[in-house]
Amino acid sequence: MIELASVGRTYGSASAPVTALRDVNLVIQRGEFMAIVGPSGSGKSTLLNLIGCLDQPTSGRLLFLGEDTSTLNDTKLSRIRNRSIGFVFQMFNLVPELTVYENIELPLVYAGVTRERRALTTKVLERVGMDHRADHPASLLSGGEQQRVAIARALVNDPALILADEPTGSIDPDSAEQVMELLGELHDQARTIVLVTHNMSVAAVAQRVVRIESGTINEIGAAVRPDDRAAAAAVMPAPDWTPLR
Amino acid sequence: MKLRDAMLVAFRGLTRHWVRATLNVLGIVAGVASVIMLVSVAHAVSSTAKASVEGLGANLVVVTPSGPSSSGIQRGIGGTSSLTRSDADALSNPANVPDAVQAVPSAGVNENVVAGSHVWQTDVLGSTPGFGAARGYTLSQGLQFGPAAINAAQPVVILGQTVAREVFPTVNPIGQTVLINTQQFKVIGEYAPRGYSGTLNQDDLVVMPITTLWDEVLPGNLSQIQQILVQATSPSTTSNVAAEVTNTLLRQHQITDPALADFTVQTQQDLVASAERVGTVMQWMLGAVAVIALLTGGIGIMSLMLATVGERAYEIGVRRAVGASREDILGQFLIEALLLAVLGAIAGIALGYGGATFMGDVLTDLPAPVITGFAILIAAAVALVIGVGAGLYPAVRASLLQPVEAVRRQ
């Protein structure tokens, strides 16, 4: 689905470059659940931003569904972010002055969906169990609730790829558990998931773990088999909210 | 993205930050309001000037004692008039001005008219029996003074409707006596109401024989004539009359070079046109001042919107991450600016309209402002151009933010 060939990302001026990523080669298969782990500052968020077409490599090639992203213009990249990718960020990144409902429908607004907008938005709202808060301003929700709204927003356009950057990093353990359950279910529905975390127990849910250190990749293979995911989840506390539909 | 959604997104952007939006809009409101108020006042002044000229009557050629004297020195106000009684007589002679019906000299002063306990300040005019015909006044009752009254400088007056009503609220003024400049005058006639011409009350005047004015109201003032109205036989002969009048007066004053004429001859069309020209210049001048105010408002909008782009980098980043293209962001900011400008224009029009009306009520010395579609159109158009112009640069800045930069700035 996504292929990175000797991808590098450098920041700053030519005279004093700061290298965030160096010669990264990585293939992400369709339907995969992959975790990227590494200490902070290792370049894992940079890598995720590149995969998510929020940023462009300064060297190498990144193929998204077979297309070299460096050849795509802003409109095409925006369409990829809109239709094919759902983002879940550590700080949720909701628009604070909009309501829960308005935040979730944003991708549909930019996709130009009108007739099915209400039905699709309501469906994902119910799916993450936030339908009772639809008209609340996003800024007044708890962290866990905001993250569920963010997941609903990531899902509303039915993207093939979900990118999660430390999705449990700013929320309480119970909410974290719910978020990981949700991601697991999304994977079961044949979505590709790429998760960035520095927490190995979170990474344990993935099929495949990639370690990144000082901007280079060191694949450590599958930490846990897909079949073992239930077992891994069982180690964590049971969710205290109604199962997802 | 659908246009309707773009409008909705921009609308939410404004309503959820209404304090910021209000501050943004204030500059435009003040600018539009000042355009409308100033242009309205200018329009009122010019239309009053025009109406007072038009109110003179039909087919008139107006002779006034202006222009350079024979020595080339411009006469100031209060100087001796170059027009004399013999000039008026010469212009009345059909041999000199064959296309004229009559020539009516006049002079005037602003004086109190007193009757018993009633006092009214008005224009006291001295003229000849032809005044009513030349200026379009008819008697509602009483008599017109005749040539004999001129020759004898009889102390008689004809009252305009307003003066009659103010000085004699309860009795018929005909046959009554009024005091003007401590002299007694007998009321022999009353003009039928003419109403207003623009904001000029044409019924607020007193007319007496011009010789009486010279002798009794303006003694020692050397029988000056402030104006001679020459009535042409028809509108098509007014230019002939103007030429005949000019030749006659040049001969009377023994001036050979018309450029040195110490009088001015204007047809009524000339006067209307010059009043209109002055009014138009004044409107544009005040309009320009007001547009500068509007521009200042626009600069305010631009700086506020630029600050907004910085503040909203996070929001822009989030929108870009979920699929907004550069055009979407550009559109959102432009539509926000456009909405602000439209709102500002509407509020400014309302405020300007109210302000102009209020000014008309308070400043009674000024003609009541006339609110024109032109003023409103200019104000609205400039507000829109400025609003969008001011919004354009911040919008481009917003659209050029890299999505990842924006998300990082949380």
Side-chain angles (χ1 to χ4, degrees), chain A residues 64-95:
Chain A
F64 194 103
L65 293 171
E67 281 198 276
D68 186 343
T69 56
S70 65
T71 66
L72 301 177
N73 63 17
D74 176 74
T75 311
K76 289 212 172 105
L77 289 173
S78 298
R79 184 167 301 155
I80 288 178
R81 287 196 297 272
N82 185 236
R83 313 282 164 90
S84 307
I85 305 174
F87 288 97
V88 181
F89 298 97
Q90 178 174 0
M91 294 311 295
F92 331 123
N93 288 24
L94 303 176
V95 180

Side-chain angles (χ1 to χ4, degrees), chain A residues 74 81-82 91 102 112 117, chain B residues 2 5 16 320 322 410:
Chain A
D74 176 74
R81 287 196 297 272
N82 185 236
M91 294 311 295
E102 288 163 354
R117 197 149 89 207
Chain B
K2 298 282 194 301
D5 285 330
R16 307 290 159 87
R320 296 279 276 139
V322 300
Q410 58 185 293

